[in-house]
Amino acid sequence: TKGPRLLRPRMTGFFYVLEEDNATRLLATAPPPWGQTIPSLPAGGGFQMTHWRHLVPVLIHRLARHSGRTRQLSAASCCVVASPPFGSIAAGRDCNRADWERLCPGKPIVAMDGPDADGKRDSLCAPLWRRCRENGPRDAIVRVSGSPPGLVDIDGTRSLCRRLDVPYLGHARLPLAAARPAERTTRIAYAGAVWGHLDSEAMGFNAWRRAIRDECRRQHDKDSNSCKWSWVSMRGSGAPAALTLYAASTFCLQPPGDTISRSGIVDAVTLGCIPVFFHPQQRELWTDHWRAAEASVLFDWTPAAWAEGAPQPLVKDPAVYAARAAAMMAELIAMPAERVAALREAVARAAPALVYAASEGGGQAGGTRGASADAVDHLVARMRALRLEPSTEEQARYEQQLARRAADRVAHKARRAEHSAWLATRNDTLGKRGKERSPKAKRLERRPKG
């Protein structure tokens, strides 16, 4: 089955960019911070040092120049606006929700918000993600973010918000590198850090990352082409080396970090590398843009009891996952060539819809009519269907979120109880070990003090 493919038909304007809002006007008129070109990568990808945090400037810039824009508010079915910069939010500035609704009355307002709705240390405009239970799918505000609420959304507050999810902002401006028959000299690649991610450490995912890195090193010692590891930071340090590794690799490992999403997923696809997931929710990312199950490999490392909830590792010791890491790499190394070829074809089909092109023309160079749509074109297609009164599909999705929220709360309560029991067992074991003191320790304990 082919992945979602959207051809760009001739379009009449239907959305209004609310340049009456200062933040929106500034982003609409200024070029986004694309960053420098990365010359070491295939020219067909137009790769640039774009940071994933710059999603909102890219979206507003592209939408302000999109053929779906209308300059007349009366002709629009919805309005587009940007959340204020993160610094102003952190300083206490509220989102201009009341002003937006006054300037765009009676229409949905599509608010381009922070890059990640699944993070604790995100740059979301917090007031936009409240009152979602009461407003539900009839909320005038439709939030756009680079990943859906997941692990950190235990109480379901964000997941009930009216929203549209778009892919993370990657480094490619074109998808052509994904389909190039480049020689893949490395079987498995892992690019990522195993320290410095505070939420990843707290949730236990750093243990997965360390186990993967350690096994990659072991495989590399046996065969230097079997697995290679490259360090890359959240700020983008090491990105060129990581992307160069992806371009030469067949499989690219994508364990969760601070969130389920990673810009590395988009980078892998746009370089023709098959993403390998470790959490079932990773296959639920950006479902309006690609069919991840057809273009990825999943090794579910989540605790068996939590496969239906929002699971996190219970044990944070990388040694516990060593056997899983070894089995995973053995399976990837032994995967038949026919299966690999089918996955690579699916990756190439998926790439256009995950790319943020520098200009309208979708996922291909030249901007010709009928070219495959890029991530912004897919967003615009979903915006066209927005109305103040939710569609049947949108209402059904909200009901599903309500049900999932209730199930997640039950699962989270059970998980906390299970984790408490595990801690009690561990503490009891440590207590028994403490009683088995050495003779020297006992002598020191009997020694008079003072």
Side-chain angles (χ1 to χ4, degrees):
T1 306
K2 291 187 177 182
R5 178 176 171 81
L6 178 71
L7 296 181
R8 297 190 307 106
R10 191 179 301 277
M11 184 174 293
T12 56
F14 72 92
F15 66 83
Y16 181 81
V17 178
L18 207 62
E19 291 194 19
E20 292 84 347
D21 174 77
N22 288 334
T24 305
R25 183 179 68 257
L26 290 173
L27 293 179
T29 55
W34 290 118
Q36 296 180 343
T37 300
I38 306 177
S40 62
L41 295 173
F47 292 91
Q48 297 173 312
M49 278 297 295
T50 313
H51 196 282
W52 57 272
R53 284 191 178 275
H54 296 316
L55 177 63
V56 175
V58 167
L59 286 173
I60 293 296
H61 176 83
R62 278 290 315 279
L63 290 171
R65 289 153 184 80
H66 200 279
S67 59
R69 179 184 182 181
T70 178
R71 301 280 180 169
Q72 297 181 351
L73 178 60
S74 59
S77 60
C78 64
C79 294
V80 170
V81 71
S83 288
F86 176 55
S88 60
I89 299 172
R93 176 182 174 187
D94 199 351
C95 302
N96 300 320
R97 176 176 180 139
D99 290 342
W100 298 343
E101 294 185 67
R102 176 180 57 81
L103 293 169
C104 183
K107 306 177 192 292
I109 299 167
V110 187
M112 306 299 149
D113 204 6
D116 201 337
D118 193 27
K120 292 181 179 178
R121 294 171 177 83
D122 49 48
S123 53
L124 296 178
C125 189
L128 288 185
W129 297 82
R130 298 171 187 155
R131 294 166 42 195
C132 295
R133 176 72 185 267
E134 331 54 300
N135 296 333
R138 289 174 172 78
D139 196 344
I141 304 295
V142 181
R143 303 139 190 89
V144 175
S145 178
S147 88
L151 292 178
V152 302
D153 195 40
I154 296 300
D155 63 355
T157 302
R158 294 180 183 175
S159 63
L160 296 178
C161 292
R162 197 178 188 188
R163 69 182 201 277
L164 296 172
D165 303 322
V166 295
Y168 252 36
L169 178 59
H171 294 85
R173 304 283 75 81
L174 296 167
L176 304 183
R180 291 183 60 177
E183 183 180 359
R184 303 281 160 169
T185 56
T186 301
R187 186 67 169 181
I188 304 170
Y190 172 47
V194 296
W195 64 90
H197 292 261
L198 299 180
D199 291 339
S200 182
E201 188 70 45
M203 290 187 288
F205 292 123
N206 272 356
W208 292 6
R209 289 174 162 230
R210 293 187 183 106
I212 290 169
R213 178 206 58 188
D214 294 345
E215 182 59 29
C216 185
R217 286 174 168 173
R218 279 190 286 270
Q219 293 292 337
H220 185 271
D221 290 342
K222 293 188 294 183
D223 178 357
S224 60
N225 292 324
S226 62
C227 189
K228 293 180 181 179
W229 171 63
S230 179
W231 174 83
V232 62
S233 73
M234 287 184 65
R235 294 183 179 273
S237 300
L243 295 172
T244 301
L245 176 60
Y246 280 2
S249 303
T250 300
F251 297 101
C252 291
L253 308 182
Q254 305 295 335
D258 289 335
T259 66
I260 290 295
S261 306
R262 295 187 73 205
S263 58
I265 298 171
V266 175
D267 290 331
V269 171
T270 54
L271 281 162
C273 188
I274 302 164
V276 178
F277 296 145
F278 297 84
H279 196 295
Q281 286 188 10
Q282 291 181 298
R283 279 192 165 178
E284 300 175 13
L285 294 171
W286 319 314
T287 53
D288 290 311
H289 292 254
W290 71 323
R291 294 189 177 96
E294 298 176 5
S296 66
V297 179
L298 172 65
F299 294 91
D300 188 354
W301 281 18
T302 57
W306 310 108
E308 299 301 325
Q312 299 172 17
L314 291 174
V315 182
K316 300 179 182 180
D317 182 1
V320 173
Y321 306 102
R324 295 186 190 183
M328 173 268 297
M329 292 198 183
E331 184 173 335
L332 293 178
I333 291 171
M335 185 174 291
E338 296 80 6
R339 174 62 177 153
V340 173
L343 285 167
R344 284 209 61 203
E345 289 178 4
V347 165
R349 290 195 301 268
L354 300 181
V355 165
Y356 289 91
S359 60
E360 189 171 2
Q364 295 191 12
T368 57
R369 182 171 177 262
S372 295
D374 76 337
V376 176
D377 293 323
H378 278 262
L379 171 63
V380 168
R382 287 178 289 156
M383 286 166 48
R384 181 177 286 276
L386 289 175
R387 299 294 183 272
L388 276 183
E389 189 67 22
S391 65
T392 303
E393 179 183 358
E394 197 172 4
Q395 182 66 41
R397 188 183 302 120
Y398 177 73
E399 299 296 335
Q400 290 173 357
Q401 289 293 344
L402 279 177
R404 183 167 184 170
R405 176 176 183 261
D408 285 352
R409 279 188 160 183
V410 173
H412 182 59
K413 184 176 180 180
R415 180 183 183 278
R416 291 185 64 179
E418 183 175 336
H419 189 56
S420 297
W422 177 80
L423 284 175
T425 302
R426 187 195 65 169
N427 293 338
D428 182 59
T429 302
L430 292 176
K432 290 178 180 178
R433 289 177 182 173
K435 294 177 181 179
E436 300 171 0
R437 294 182 298 278
S438 66
K440 182 178 179 181
K442 293 178 180 178
R443 287 196 304 272
L444 291 173
E445 192 175 75
R446 290 195 298 267
R447 181 178 299 176
K449 296 180 181 180

